[in-house]
Amino acid sequence: MKRLLIAIALVGRAALGQNAADGPILAAHGLDSSAFINMYVPAGAVRLIAWDRDSIVVRGQKSKHDRIFFGGGRQGVKMAVESPSGGDSEPSNLVVYIPRHGRVSVRTASANITGEGVAGTFNSSSGNIRLSGVVSSVEAESMNGSLDLDLTTPWLRARTGDGHLLIRGAPQDVDASTIGGTLDVIAPKVKRGQFVSVSGDIHWIGSPARGAVFDFSNHSGAVDLALTSTTSAALTLSSVSGDIENGFTRVRPIASPPRTVRFNLGGGDAHVSVRTFKGAIRVRPQ
Amino acid sequence: MTDQTTHLTEDDRQSAADGTLPVERRADVEAHLADCDACAADVARITELMKRTRDAMLAPPSETASLDDLWSPIRARIEASKVVSLGTGARPSNSRPLISLIVGGIAAALLLTAVMLRVRPSEPRTSATAQATPDTSVLRAVSDSATAYEAEAQILLDRLEIQRATMRPEARAAIDRNLHTVDVAIAELKDAIARDPNNPALRQLLATSYRQKVELLKRANAS
C-alpha cells in the first residue's frame, strides 16, 4: 500500500512537467540522475525527451493487446512493448521523459525514434531516427532508415544503409557512414570527421574548423565539397577513375600527379582528404 | 620497562638500530637486548638494512646499473613476446577465433589509421609532391587490414545465415540490398588490385569497403 502511494505521488509530481496531450501515463519510476534506460519499441514511434527531474515517465498509446514490460531500480530501468502471444506487437506511440544526464539504449524494428537532449545509443532496423539538443555522446544506427542528427556533442557516430544521413548542429568528433544513402554534412564545428559511403553521394557544406582533420571516402558515389570563401585548408583529392573538379580556379595545385590533386585554400589550417574509386570529386566555392 | 616476555616496541627497535634512543631508555633497551635473542637479531637486521641503503645511496653512478643496461634485456623480452603481424590469408587461431579477430581488427584499424595519417598532406604550399612511390610497409599494412576485415565478415555472414529465417522479410531485403552494394564494390576493387597490385590507394579503399561490410553485418546481426 505504501509503495502504491509513493508511486502515485511520484507519477503525480512527475506529470506536472509534461503534456497531457502526450497520452495517458503508462509507467513511471524514480531514477538517479545518471541512470541507464534500456528500451525496446518494435513498431510505431518513440519520442524521448530529457528533463531536469530524477524520474522516468512513459506516456502514450499502445494497443490494448500489447503490454509494457517495465522493471529496474534507481540506477537503471528496462522497458519493452511486447505482445503476450510472443508475436509482433502492434504500433505504439510513446513519449518518454528521462533524466537529462541519463543514458538510453533504444532499439526498434520499424518504429521511428525522436530524441531531444538525450544521449546514448539509438538503433533501428527500418525506422527513422531524429535527434537534437546538447548531449554527451550519440551513437545512431539504422539498417535502411534515415537519420537526422542536429546535435551539439563531443562525439557522434552514425550509420545507415540506404537511408539519408543528415548531420548538422555542432558535433566535434564525427564518424558517419552510409552504404547507398546520401550523406549530407552541414556542421562547421567538426574537429575530426570521417565520412564514408559505398555508393551514396557525400555533400559537405561550410568551412572546416581551424585545425580540423577530415577524411572522406567513397567507392562509386560522388564527394561534393561546397566551401566558403574563408576556408583555410590543405586538400588532397584522389580518385582511381573518377573525375576531379576543382572549382577554385584561382588556386594553383601544389601537385597533380595522375588522379591526385593537392592544393591549399587560405593558410591551409585544416586537413581534408578525399578518396574515391570511381565517384567524382567536386570542390567548389559555396 | 622491558623483559623477554614483552619484547621491545617497534619504535625502540628502530631507535636502537639507528642510534637515536633517548638517554632515559638506553639502559633498559640495552639490558633487554643482552637477554633477548629475538629482539637483538631484529635490531641487527634493521641496522644492516640501513647500512646497505646508505651505501647504495652513496655509491658512485658507475656502480649502479645504468638505464641503458637495464633496457636491453627488457627490450629483448618485449620483442620476444610481440604479436606477429597477420600474413596474407592468415586465418584466426583455432583456440580463440573471436578474441584473435577482435585483436586483429583493432590492430588492423590502428594500421589503417596510421596509413591514413601517413598519406595526409603536411607539406607547405611550396612543396610540390609527386604521387607517393609504393611503400611495401604501407601495402602490407592495408593488405593485413583488409584480410582481417574479410575474415571477420565471413564469421558474421555465417551467423547471419542462422538468423536469416527469423528476420522480417523487409529487413532481409534491406540487408541483401546493402550487402550486394558492398560486394559489388569489393569485387571491383579486387579486380583493380589484380591489375595494379602496388597501388596503396586501392588497398585502402578495399579495407574501407570491408569495414563497411563488417559494420553492416554487425548491425544486421544485432537487429
Side-chain angles (χ1 to χ4, degrees):
Chain A
M1 186 63 184
K2 188 179 173 187
R3 275 190 184 177
L4 180 64
L5 288 172
I6 291 171
I8 290 169
L10 178 68
V11 167
R13 198 185 71 153
L16 293 174
Q18 313 144 40
N19 186 351
D22 293 337
I25 292 175
L26 302 173
H29 199 284
L31 285 179
D32 289 345
S33 60
S34 59
F36 189 81
I37 298 111
N38 196 336
M39 61 178 71
Y40 176 61
V41 182
V46 57
R47 182 174 166 217
L48 302 139
I49 302 169
W51 69 350
D52 296 315
R53 295 171 185 270
D54 292 350
S55 57
I56 177 173
V57 173
V58 183
R59 282 181 174 271
Q61 284 89 28
K62 64 168 186 62
S63 162
K64 63 181 179 183
H65 304 297
D66 296 330
R67 67 188 178 109
I68 288 192
F69 166 81
F70 192 92
R74 286 200 66 87
Q75 294 179 334
V77 293
K78 277 187 179 180
M79 191 199 103
V81 179
E82 55 187 9
S83 166
S85 66
D88 287 349
S89 61
E90 293 180 28
S92 21
N93 199 338
L94 304 181
V95 180
V96 185
Y97 293 82
I98 65 165
R100 188 169 304 283
H101 299 294
R103 285 190 69 78
V104 299
S105 172
V106 189
R107 185 176 296 278
T108 76
S110 61
N112 295 327
I113 302 171
T114 306
E116 297 166 26
V118 179
T121 62
F122 305 81
N123 197 308
S124 179
S125 181
S126 61
N128 299 326
I129 301 174
R130 183 177 187 144
L131 307 175
S132 61
V134 181
V135 298
S136 56
S137 70
V138 159
E139 190 167 343
E141 293 186 349
S142 182
M143 186 59 69
N144 59 336
S146 292
L147 276 61
D148 179 352
L149 310 174
D150 184 359
L151 294 162
T152 298
T153 179
W155 192 78
L156 169 62
R157 183 176 189 273
R159 299 278 184 273
T160 182
D162 39 18
H164 175 218
L165 173 49
L166 170 60
I167 294 174
R168 46 201 178 121
Q172 289 189 357
D173 195 328
V174 180
D175 179 4
S177 78
T178 73
I179 302 292
T182 302
L183 168 51
D184 290 329
V185 189
I186 313 167
K189 293 194 174 173
V190 177
K191 284 283 186 185
R192 288 191 171 271
Q194 184 170 24
F195 306 99
V196 181
S197 184
V198 179
S199 62
D201 290 349
I202 301 175
H203 303 123
W204 163 275
I205 299 171
S207 173
R210 193 179 185 86
V213 178
F214 291 165
D215 193 58
F216 296 87
S217 180
N218 210 333
H219 180 77
S220 55
V223 177
D224 187 350
L225 309 181
L227 303 172
T228 60
S229 57
T230 57
T231 295
S232 174
L235 294 102
T236 302
L237 320 173
S238 62
S239 180
V240 176
S241 61
D243 291 336
I244 300 175
E245 297 174 22
N246 175 14
F248 289 89
T249 49
R250 291 182 182 179
V251 179
R252 188 171 61 86
I254 295 167
S256 296
R259 321 307 312 172
T260 298
V261 175
R262 292 180 184 178
F263 60 92
N264 282 4
L265 294 174
D269 292 316
H271 288 292
V272 179
S273 165
V274 184
R275 265 189 317 275
T276 72
F277 179 67
K278 59 183 181 183
I281 300 174
R282 287 185 291 270
V283 180
R284 58 188 170 85
Q286 192 182 345
Chain B
M1 188 69 183
T2 59
D3 57 39
Q4 275 185 276
T5 55
T6 57
H7 292 300
L8 293 175
T9 64
E10 182 61 28
D11 193 36
D12 281 343
R13 278 179 283 167
Q14 295 285 340
S15 300
D18 63 12
T20 57
L21 272 172
V23 177
E24 64 275 16
R25 289 284 300 141
R26 196 169 295 163
D28 281 349
V29 170
E30 285 175 356
H32 181 88
L33 288 174
D35 291 337
C36 178
D37 291 342
C39 285
D42 201 42
V43 168
R45 183 182 62 79
I46 296 168
T47 305
E48 176 61 20
L49 189 62
M50 286 175 170
K51 178 176 178 298
R52 283 166 56 188
T53 306
R54 197 164 46 242
D55 290 349
M57 290 171 71
L58 294 173
S62 59
E63 290 182 19
T64 58
S66 70
L67 280 178
D68 287 345
D69 293 341
L70 290 171
W71 176 242
S72 297
I74 293 169
R75 180 79 228 173
R77 280 159 59 193
I78 292 171
E79 290 294 336
S81 61
K82 260 186 177 174
V83 176
V84 179
S85 65
L86 293 172
T88 306
R91 303 197 65 81
S93 153
N94 290 333
S95 57
R96 290 182 172 181
L98 188 58
I99 292 174
S100 301
L101 276 172
I102 292 168
V103 171
I106 292 168
L110 288 171
L111 285 169
L112 185 59
T113 305
V115 169
M116 289 160 82
L117 288 172
R118 190 173 182 142
V119 298
R120 272 197 186 115
S122 57
E123 302 82 3
R125 182 184 286 270
T126 52
S127 65
T129 309
Q131 191 169 24
T133 53
D135 179 336
T136 54
S137 64
V138 173
L139 282 174
R140 193 167 56 245
V142 286
S143 176
D144 290 346
S145 166
T147 305
Y149 278 129
E150 188 175 11
E152 189 177 2
Q154 190 53 53
I155 288 176
L156 290 166
L157 268 174
D158 292 344
R159 278 192 206 153
L160 186 63
E161 281 309 310
I162 297 168
Q163 286 190 13
R164 188 175 279 275
T166 62
M167 286 180 167
R168 296 162 195 266
E170 63 272 19
R172 248 191 338 251
I175 291 165
D176 289 343
R177 195 168 56 243
N178 286 321
L179 273 178
H180 176 72
T181 303
V182 181
D183 284 339
V184 167
I186 288 172
E188 287 179 351
L189 288 163
K190 282 184 168 177
D191 277 353
I193 288 170
R195 292 193 300 274
D196 185 5
N198 292 325
N199 188 334
L202 287 173
R203 292 181 184 272
Q204 283 167 26
L205 286 164
L206 180 64
T208 303
S209 292
Y210 268 124
R211 178 186 164 213
Q212 290 277 81
K213 184 171 180 177
V214 165
E215 289 182 350
L216 170 65
L217 288 167
K218 282 180 179 171
R219 283 204 298 280
N221 277 303
S223 64

